[in-house]
Structures are given as C-alpha cells and as structure tokens.
Amino acid sequence: MTDRELALQAWESLFRAQHQLLAEMAVDFEGSDLAQGEYDVLLTVVRAPDMTSRLRDITAKSLISQPSVSRLIDRMVTRGLITKAIDPDDGRGAVITATDAGAKAFRQLATVHGRTIAEKMSPLDDAELATLLELTQKLRRTR
C-alpha cells in the first residue's frame, strides 16, 4: 500500500512544478497569433494524418471542457485557422482540419515553444526525462 503522506507530497510537488512551468512558458504566447487553447487544438490536429482530427478526439486530448472546446473550435473556424465539417463516418460528429494559415501559425509557435520546453526541462538528464515520461504515462493509464 502506498504511503499516504508521501503520495500527498509527491502530488503537491508535481502539481506545483507543472503550475510553475506553465506560468513560465506562457511568455511564448504573448504577442503570438495563437492563444494557448488554440495551440493545444492545433497540436492535435496538425499531428494527425492529413492534418484532420475528429472533434471527439480533440476534446479527449484537450485540457479544457467539451463545451469550451466547441466554442474555441467555432472561434478558430471564424479566424480561418481550421475548418469544420460533418464526420462522414459519424454524422453526429465533426472533423476538424487545419488550414494552411493555422498550420503555419502552429509551426511558427511550436518552434519557439519547443525551445522553451527543452530549456525548462534541461535540469533533467535523458534518463530522468525517460523516467518522468514513464511515470506520468503510468499515472495517466490508471484513470
């Protein structure tokens, strides 16, 4: 059985580290064409085959609620970052595709953001990064 106090300390440390890192990385989005939520959506869409993803997959991978994702998607369509169409395999769903402008904006920010992430993670060596990845994936599988 897991030591409860140690579990609480580990959780608090993980939570505070994530909060601190996200706050420090927010500077990447200042003056950018993309907000953090838009970047998160485009991260999923641009990495998908043909830069197209189902709305339900975006929602599942997103860090915001389903209604918020839907509103964000609508705003991104209006801004010309993505397109939204009826899912041909499931008429109740939608498929989201990055436009050239959306993919370009994502890639420009991803270059900057990737450097910041690498910098913020640099106190860890490769073995520690691999362990961190393994541990966080293990925690995510327990849901």
Side-chain angles (χ1 to χ4, degrees), residues 81-101:
L81 299 170
I82 57 175
T83 62
K84 180 179 176 183
I86 295 173
D87 186 339
D89 298 328
D90 178 3
R92 298 167 296 165
V95 290
I96 308 302
T97 302
T99 63
D100 290 342

Side-chain angles (χ1 to χ4, degrees), residues 61-126:
K61 292 179 182 180
S62 182
L63 301 176
I64 58 178
S65 68
Q66 187 275 327
S68 296
V69 171
S70 294
R71 287 190 301 274
L72 178 61
I73 293 288
D74 291 341
R75 287 193 305 271
M76 291 175 73
V77 167
T78 300
R79 291 189 54 215
L81 299 170
I82 57 175
T83 62
K84 180 179 176 183
I86 295 173
D87 186 339
D89 298 328
D90 178 3
R92 298 167 296 165
V95 290
I96 308 302
T97 302
T99 63
D100 290 342
K104 181 180 177 185
F106 170 80
R107 288 187 183 110
Q108 287 175 338
L109 183 54
T111 300
V112 171
H113 196 50
R115 280 194 296 265
T116 302
I117 291 169
E119 174 194 325
K120 297 298 179 186
M121 300 300 282
S122 68
L124 304 178
D125 64 30
D126 288 349

Side-chain angles (χ1 to χ4, degrees), residues 137-143:
Q137 287 175 337
K138 184 176 182 179
L139 287 171
R140 292 175 69 203
R141 282 192 299 267
T142 63
R143 308 193 293 146

Side-chain angles (χ1 to χ4, degrees), residues 13-56:
S13 182
L14 176 63
F15 180 77
R16 291 185 185 283
Q18 177 199 19
H19 182 75
Q20 177 182 335
L21 289 170
L22 287 173
E24 291 172 2
M25 287 188 245
V27 70
D28 291 348
F29 297 90
E30 293 173 4
S32 167
D33 290 338
L34 298 176
Q36 284 180 313
E38 294 170 333
Y39 180 86
D40 189 28
V41 167
L42 285 168
L43 177 67
T44 300
V45 176
V46 169
R47 289 183 171 180
D50 299 320
M51 294 194 308
T52 299
S53 185
R54 287 185 168 85
L55 179 57
R56 68 174 175 250

